[in-house]
Amino acid sequence: MLDLYYAPTPNGQKLRLYLEEAGLPYRLVPVSLSKGEQFDPAFLRIAPNNKIPALLDHAPADGGAPLPMFESGAMLLYLAEKSGFGLPNSERARNEAVQWLFWQMAGLGPMAGQAGYFCVYAPEQVPFAIERYTRELARLYGVLDRHLAGRDWIAGEYSIADIACYPWIVPHAAHQQDLAAFPHVRRWFEAIAGRPATRRAYADVEDVYAVRGAPVKA
């Protein structure tokens, strides 16, 4: 059994989407970011960076004590290697999936997060910041759009690269991105949205950018 310490942010949704796709048994452990529960000592023992998601594997492969994990990209790699789902078999395709996973962690996620903050949550409008982050996010959408031309999935088959990127494209409207300008991303996005596992993972998830308000405690 896996415990997923979770809030319905894009990073939280990555792990929930993976677990639904892989069919792994898991238990959601909600973490209220607005209440600061990510700073509780018990949570910090699992996630020392006080960020969700975090994972506790009660049946690690080495047969030892429950294994705590933090950082969503590391968790996706760990689960894919353990379960056999989400990493291509060929070395080249596997390498491609890992590269795009790191691209999401280093580029798409951070820039989308900044765009979301300044477009929705910032207590005052900062035009320079909005323009800076939405422009860079549009550039990253373009990178992904060009890569997806002529292919269904990022690494040739559906993988942790797709699962990592999709939740950060979900709030594209709030991030001031128009998918009509990125037809290959839009086709890919709609294909993932229609998957049964995606519907399950998002069935009870509200749009965190729907209402302007104070950001969660950092």
Side-chain angles (χ1 to χ4, degrees):
M1 175 62 73
L2 299 159
D3 288 341
L4 175 61
Y5 291 79
Y6 163 88
T9 67
N11 279 333
Q13 286 302 111
K14 284 189 224 173
L15 270 295
R16 191 174 181 183
L17 180 55
Y18 179 88
L19 292 168
E20 288 292 340
E21 284 282 2
L24 297 175
Y26 71 98
R27 180 173 70 102
L28 283 182
V29 183
V31 178
S32 175
L33 304 181
S34 62
K35 295 178 181 177
E37 291 180 354
Q38 68 272 34
F39 297 105
D40 288 349
F43 180 72
L44 288 174
R45 285 194 289 271
I46 300 171
N49 197 34
N50 58 63
K51 302 289 185 182
I52 63 91
L55 193 71
L56 188 63
D57 185 354
H58 292 276
D62 63 7
L67 176 66
M69 294 198 71
F70 71 108
E71 287 299 323
S72 60
M75 286 184 273
L76 287 174
L77 274 174
Y78 170 78
L79 292 172
E81 289 173 346
K82 179 178 180 178
S83 72
F85 172 80
L87 276 176
N89 290 325
S90 78
E91 183 176 351
R92 285 180 179 269
R94 178 189 175 98
N95 184 53
E96 188 170 41
V98 171
Q99 287 182 75
W100 284 92
L101 170 65
F102 279 49
W103 176 83
Q104 183 279 304
M105 296 292 296
L108 179 63
M111 292 302 103
Q114 293 293 334
Y117 176 80
F118 284 106
C119 289
V120 178
Y121 285 116
E124 61 184 79
Q125 292 286 291
V126 185
F128 171 78
I130 292 172
E131 195 277 335
R132 172 183 171 83
Y133 290 113
T134 57
R135 182 182 68 231
E136 174 60 8
L137 188 56
R139 187 191 72 82
L140 292 167
Y141 273 51
V143 170
L144 182 59
D145 193 67
R146 291 189 295 274
H147 179 73
L148 286 168
R151 58 171 68 200
D152 292 333
W153 308 115
I154 290 174
E157 61 186 72
Y158 192 62
S159 74
I160 55 175
D162 304 287
I163 290 170
C165 291
Y166 174 81
W168 282 106
I169 305 293
V170 169
H172 57 269
H175 295 167
Q176 298 188 11
Q177 305 301 316
D178 183 0
L179 292 190
F182 308 100
H184 305 298
V185 171
R186 181 172 62 182
R187 169 186 48 76
W188 165 88
F189 178 82
E190 291 173 349
I192 297 177
R195 294 174 70 91
T198 307
R199 294 196 189 102
R200 293 194 301 271
Y202 280 85
D204 58 353
V205 174
E206 297 181 1
D207 182 358
V208 296
Y209 291 106
V211 180
R212 175 179 291 276
V216 298
K217 297 178 182 178

